[in-house]
Amino acid sequence: MQTWIEVPDGSPFPVTNVPYGIVSRGGGRPHVAVAIGDHVLSLAAAAGTGLLDDALRDPELGVVHRDVFDAPSLNGFLALGRPLWTAVRSRLTELLTDPSYEGALRPALVPRAEVRTHLPVEVADYVDFYCFEEHASNVGRIFRPEQAPLLPNWKRLPVGYHGRAGTIVVSGTDVVRPCGQRLVGGDPVYGSSLRLDIEAEVGFVVGTPTRLGQRVPTVDFADHVFGAVLVNDWSARDIQAFEYVPLGPFLGKSFATSVSAWVVPLEALAAARTPVPAQDPVPAGYLRPAGDAYALSLAVQWNGTTVSRPPFADMYWTAAQQLAHLTVNGATLRTGDLYASGTVSGPRPNSGCFLELTWGGRDPVTLDDGSTRTFLVDGDTVTITATAPGADGTTIGFGEVTGRILPAT
Amino acid sequence: MQTWIEVPDGSPFPVTNVPYGIVSRGGGRPHVAVAIGDHVLSLAAAAGTGLLDDALRDPELGVVHRDVFDAPSLNGFLALGRPLWTAVRSRLTELLTDPSYEGALRPALVPRAEVRTHLPVEVADYVDFYCFEEHASNVGRIFRPEQAPLLPNWKRLPVGYHGRAGTIVVSGTDVVRPCGQRLVGGDPVYGSSLRLDIEAEVGFVVGTPTRLGQRVPTVDFADHVFGAVLVNDWSARDIQAFEYVPLGPFLGKSFATSVSAWVVPLEALAAARTPVPAQDPVPAGYLRPAGDAYALSLAVQWNGTTVSRPPFADMYWTAAQQLAHLTVNGATLRTGDLYASGTVSGPRPNSGCFLELTWGGRDPVTLDDGSTRTFLVDGDTVTITATAPGADGTTIGFGEVTGRILPAT
């Protein structure tokens, strides 16, 4: 596929990707755009031309949802559901590849460098899973050395918990080192976290809601999930270690969770689908069939040094299984729900968190500037990127989720 | 104080209470109302008379927020903040006690039996604490008999976790027995929960948001918290027991959490303030001063039989301390955040959950009809009520949070 927009070689945003985000320019209103090459196409402006009318026509109501992109979040568009998501994507592909539309759409194109990106989704509930065996085992070994590393429930169901939706921020937001209580020589001390960490994850964005009591079988995954983002679930390990028994992580996580600015639609990930790793024992019926794994290649940069390439395709429970589990008790989904994979980790050094990478701080890593690190130092920047096979032999990217650590206040 | 509205003796809603909720009548739009005696006063209609204009005038913008009550949730009003909450309450007291306003307001009064109540708050984040020593100790004894009943963190900080905001429902909503995985003879089995339980709690509703990084000292509690509701945090103990290590409760709780229809403003609880039980060891600085306890008397009815009177005044950590803890890591508050106390429990039989009341099912309770129970049976109804000392020697109530169990689907 060729687009009439110049796309630099190696751009994460070829025409086979076309991820959605929220942008503003100057003092203008935040609105929906898609990223292509070094540009963004304002969908608010594009819809204003009428060229998206057919794709935005509601099959039941007949109305055209032309205003859905003139909004500060994707939620209105997410609520329209799979048929319209697919119709809009098909139409955008047509518009971006047929040069006869350039004249009409050129005014809606803006260099990406000239826009500010905003949180793409108003997050309803945020769930964080724990679906990488390497991570769950390593955390077990480090936090609970006296027990078996993997707990009995782990291969029976996708273990997860609710995180704080209100502190999800867009990539680029600074992260202030949190304060809380941690143990020093067995006694709790209040102060700033000394073991500030990342968790490199992939998150899935729910568009189509359910009613209370409705389960989502794994085969219905794509009816409800719109697309995927990168997630950095910043974690204060010392605060977490003291607080988390028996009700799970709380303040050790709730100070900030960063997500990438661009939501990659599921269709763009079709070429990245790959067989699921073996699941043994056979999962419960509501977790079958497993659905697809995705061959995403993540990279974690610490102050510019790539310290890890966590293997997302190794995820034990698929995103479809996570969703089926989340709803098997009848819990509703709402438009804007976000659920994340848990830390993407393979054998060291391809760990998705520094707790594992440095084995609890025992084994420092050396950055390209010669400095060493165990946990995050004030001023450090962490950037997580990901690529995936796209259609037509292309490679697509997620952009990045990045954040810099500011001192505690 | 005398009101020109007839208030039956023993009504939970004397003129010293005036709680807020969302009601609709017939097919009409849900809107904000206050409860008084056996009536509700539509604030949407009352504001339309102009009689609330002075109270609703924004001191900074000068505008009158007259439309804030013509809304399907309290969130718009909650966002106005403490000065306007207080001004509106003062004005409502004046209007309800001065007979000269009867003519103007009588058309806005509707018998409570004629309205339907709705979820009063669009809940942003939901946090559930664990602040009753009796409950935490009992759950420890039942779930972790090999360990000390109270964990080392419990007297150092208010232990809590995030719950699912999207499955919070208003009192009266039926609760479908959830399905999930539970252990049978050591092996996980998928099916409906056999140990379905309640948790009688009190929840606090946040109105005034904070910015990321802003802590809320205990003394600022009333600037942010608008009022209180009753909460029943329905719990599937068998699902919870298998899933909850290490990340905390998930599907065992996320199928439904019921809240009372009426939010009792903090001002109405002023007469219920009571000294905090002793806290030993001395809490960390950010948890001091402790703030107030509240002398609420809860009652739990199981199919009409009062089985427990959990003592809310015994709560170890105050609501102000819970809020200070929740924000000490810089986590933002949003309008509509709800945080609950955790199960209100005293020594048996005054337990706020049936896990404790029946000691994990060992000691059945006998209901007035002669039947016995350990956990909930399909068709059972649980109703939690609470009263508190109000101004002028009155007793105020929270109404109720009630729900009936339907069979699993």
Side-chain angles (χ1 to χ4, degrees), chain B residues 284-296:
Chain B
Y286 74 91
L287 297 169
R288 300 199 307 262
D292 299 307
Y294 291 92
L296 272 54

Side-chain angles (χ1 to χ4, degrees), chain A residues 149-226:
Chain A
L150 213 55
L151 292 159
N153 54 18
W154 198 89
K155 290 206 169 180
R156 298 294 187 162
L157 52 84
V159 171
Y161 71 106
H162 286 93
R164 191 163 185 83
T167 45
I168 293 176
V169 297
V170 70
S171 174
T173 306
D174 290 333
V175 173
V176 177
R177 183 179 297 274
C179 291
Q181 295 190 45
R182 58 192 161 80
L183 288 179
V184 178
D187 292 318
V189 170
Y190 172 80
S192 57
S193 170
L194 301 183
R195 289 164 75 91
L196 187 56
D197 196 357
I198 66 157
E199 292 195 334
E201 309 194 16
V202 176
F204 292 85
V205 174
V206 172
T208 306
T210 59
R211 57 176 197 285
L212 193 62
Q214 180 186 349
R215 300 183 181 106
V216 179
T218 56
V219 293
D220 288 351
F221 169 67
D223 291 343
H224 294 273
V225 169
F226 173 75

